[in-house]
Amino acid sequence: MTEEQGTIDLQDFLKLRGLVETGGEAKFRVQGGEVRVNGAVETRRRKKLRRGDIVEYAGERVRVDW
């Protein structure tokens, strides 16, 4: 996470929150269209998330916060 910019990459967030186990799994899940950000399918694994964004994956809905 780059706190000075207030963002974190989607793939890093998925790993940090324990939604996936590895970076490879994060890449596969995101590029496969299995992840939503703020209600929309997101296929960019380096998508910059900001505080307050909502990430949905595998039945989990998680707000970005730190």
Side-chain angles (χ1 to χ4, degrees):
M1 169 179 15
T2 29
E3 296 239 10
E4 60 273 0
Q5 297 174 351
T7 64
I8 185 171
D9 287 351
L10 175 56
Q11 67 179 4
D12 295 336
F13 181 77
L14 292 172
K15 289 187 300 184
L16 181 70
R17 291 304 298 261
L19 297 171
V20 297
E21 292 189 18
T22 66
E25 182 182 0
K27 176 182 175 180
F28 180 80
R29 302 298 182 196
V30 172
Q31 291 179 336
E34 298 180 42
V35 179
R36 290 180 174 266
V37 175
N38 299 325
V41 172
E42 182 56 68
T43 58
R44 297 170 293 169
R45 58 194 172 102
R46 296 231 180 250
K47 162 78 174 154
K48 301 296 185 198
L49 302 178
R50 289 178 167 66
R51 183 175 291 148
D53 285 341
I54 302 294
V55 176
E56 297 174 74
Y57 168 69
E60 297 283 333
R61 190 167 190 253
V62 182
R63 180 179 300 273
V64 177
D65 197 8
W66 57 83

